[in-house]
Amino acid sequence: MELLKVDSLRKCFTVNKPFRGHAGMLKAVDGVSFSIDQDRVLALVGESGCGKSTVARLILRLLDPTSGSVLFKGRDIFALDRNSMKVFRKSVQIIFQDPFASLNPRRTVYETISEPLIIHKLAPRPKMKDTVAEIIGKVGLSPEIMNRYPHEFSGGQRQRICIARALAVSPEIIVADEPLSALDVSIQAQIINLLIDLKKSTRISFLFISHDLRVVHYISDMVGVMYLGRIVEYAKTEDIFEKPFHPYTEVLLASAPKISQIEGKAVHAAPLKGEIPSPINIPSGCPFHPRCPKRFDPCDKIVPELKESQGRLVSCHLWNTYS
């Protein structure tokens, strides 16, 4: 069942140029479309600044779009009234990148996790402590921590508390915005395994935002590759990693560290040439063409559409016909 459908989503910000220059328009998200089914994980990947986190905030209605729609179970979230919005907030939760910044330092674990239960009236007061203890037990924490504060925990423990807070209201979708990037590598493996176990036991769907392709390969069912606010390739995870179509996807996968079987060292492919163009001044034609090793005649003139090609969506003239 399709839970979430994003259709032609756009978000532009007005940016004032220095020295009394004219205001520019920053295209953070430019026509993004995808859907998330029940019990599925969609990953959005791409370089920093490509618009992944802005998409997450639009989906959660933390930002209003310039245009486009986000449908949750067929209803446009930007047209919901106050009561319907409360139901939506309960159904779609977020795990932020920095677990320390996303926790109130003046609230205990008990206060943090019981708050959504009180707001949505999900547990009676006499049973609140038992309910909170059950929730934190699901993320591998002991009930003895309930009266402690965020600064008393490690990064991995704080992220578990954030996950517990998201789980408290039994959501249908969790938006995980770079949930591992602030953690040590050893802790990352624990958190990703926790998320996978929770998905299996609760059938929650995830929008998983990350730049770590190894984690994306491990956890996701579908992958959307973003570049300068657009999805340039959208396919099943195994298809993406087995044979990427878009040149940008190829370079991303080739740039991921690999373990050398001979020397036991992490090695990288040659990095992308050139700088990422400014989202205020996106190049004509294909946005990736100034850095693309496979560019040819139409790439700097015609913007490639995101079209189906061999069972996936790809925005590239190498795979799409053009006029």
Side-chain angles (χ1 to χ4, degrees):
M1 182 179 73
E2 184 180 77
L3 291 179
L4 191 79
K5 183 177 181 180
V6 176
D7 186 22
S8 302
L9 197 60
R10 287 181 168 83
K11 180 61 181 178
C12 299
F13 296 96
T14 301
V15 179
N16 293 322
K17 294 184 178 179
F19 307 112
R20 298 183 180 181
H22 295 291
M25 191 64 68
L26 188 153
K27 295 181 179 179
V29 177
D30 191 11
V32 166
S33 299
F34 58 80
S35 63
I36 302 176
D37 294 338
Q38 186 179 30
D39 194 25
R40 290 292 182 268
V41 178
L42 167 66
L44 288 182
V45 302
E47 294 172 282
S48 297
C50 71
K52 306 186 298 297
S53 293
T54 304
V55 169
R57 281 155 178 74
L58 289 167
I59 288 173
L60 291 156
R61 201 174 155 179
L62 300 177
L63 293 173
D64 291 325
T66 302
S67 63
S69 63
V70 177
L71 305 180
F72 178 70
K73 292 185 174 179
R75 299 186 66 185
D76 189 345
I77 68 168
F78 300 110
L80 296 178
D81 58 27
R82 184 173 181 178
N83 290 332
S84 299
M85 194 63 207
K86 187 176 180 180
V87 175
F88 171 75
R89 295 281 190 214
K90 174 181 175 296
S91 301
V92 183
Q93 291 285 304
I94 185 169
I95 303 169
F96 290 101
Q97 178 176 355
D98 187 344
F100 189 75
S102 60
L103 292 172
N104 188 331
R106 297 185 178 183
R107 285 179 176 263
T108 63
V109 172
Y110 174 77
E111 291 170 331
T112 295
I113 297 176
S114 64
E115 182 181 27
L117 297 173
I118 295 169
I119 291 172
H120 294 282
K121 300 177 181 179
L122 298 176
R125 291 278 184 175
K127 295 184 178 180
M128 188 65 71
K129 282 196 173 181
D130 291 338
T131 304
V132 172
E134 181 182 352
I135 292 168
I136 63 178
K138 291 180 180 179
V139 298
L141 296 174
S142 169
E144 284 76 20
I145 71 165
M146 284 196 289
N147 294 320
R148 294 166 61 185
Y149 291 87
H151 72 271
E152 300 180 63
F153 299 97
S154 67
Q157 288 173 320
R158 286 195 290 263
Q159 195 62 290
R160 287 175 186 268
I161 294 168
C162 292
I163 294 170
R165 180 178 58 185
L167 288 174
V169 293
S170 301
E172 296 179 71
I173 298 177
I174 289 180
V175 177
D177 186 8
E178 298 273 11
L180 309 177
S181 61
L183 306 176
D184 292 338
V185 174
S186 59
I187 305 301
Q188 288 180 6
Q190 296 176 19
I191 298 300
I192 199 66
N193 287 329
L194 171 61
L195 293 176
I196 290 174
D197 290 341
L198 291 171
K199 176 183 175 292
K200 290 178 180 178
S201 61
T202 62
R203 301 193 67 198
I204 292 176
S205 300
F206 282 86
L207 174 62
F208 192 85
I209 295 170
S210 179
H211 62 272
D212 191 327
L213 294 169
R214 295 168 299 175
V215 173
V216 167
H217 194 186
Y218 186 57
I219 193 173
S220 66
D221 301 297
M222 301 287 294
V223 175
V225 181
M226 290 191 67
Y227 186 78
L228 281 179
R230 300 181 181 184
I231 289 181
V232 296
E233 189 165 359
Y234 183 77
K236 293 179 181 178
T237 302
E238 290 305 320
D239 292 342
I240 286 276
F241 281 84
E242 183 177 338
K243 185 180 179 182
F245 279 12
H246 198 282
Y248 178 63
T249 310
E250 287 186 28
V251 176
L252 274 185
L253 294 178
S255 299
K258 298 178 178 62
I259 304 300
S260 171
Q261 294 181 354
I262 299 175
E263 300 178 2
K265 297 180 179 179
V267 295
H268 296 263
L272 274 170
K273 295 182 179 180
E275 297 293 331
I276 303 175
S278 168
I280 303 176
N281 187 22
I282 295 176
S284 61
C286 174
F288 184 59
H289 87 263
R291 308 170 74 195
C292 182
K294 297 183 178 181
R295 63 181 180 268
F296 61 112
D297 184 52
C299 296
D300 61 345
K301 303 178 183 68
I302 303 171
V303 179
E305 296 181 23
L306 188 66
K307 292 183 178 181
E308 184 174 353
S309 179
Q310 300 182 31
R312 72 179 76 186
L313 297 176
V314 60
S315 173
C316 181
H317 292 306
L318 289 168
W319 300 94
N320 299 339
T321 57
Y322 60 92
S323 57

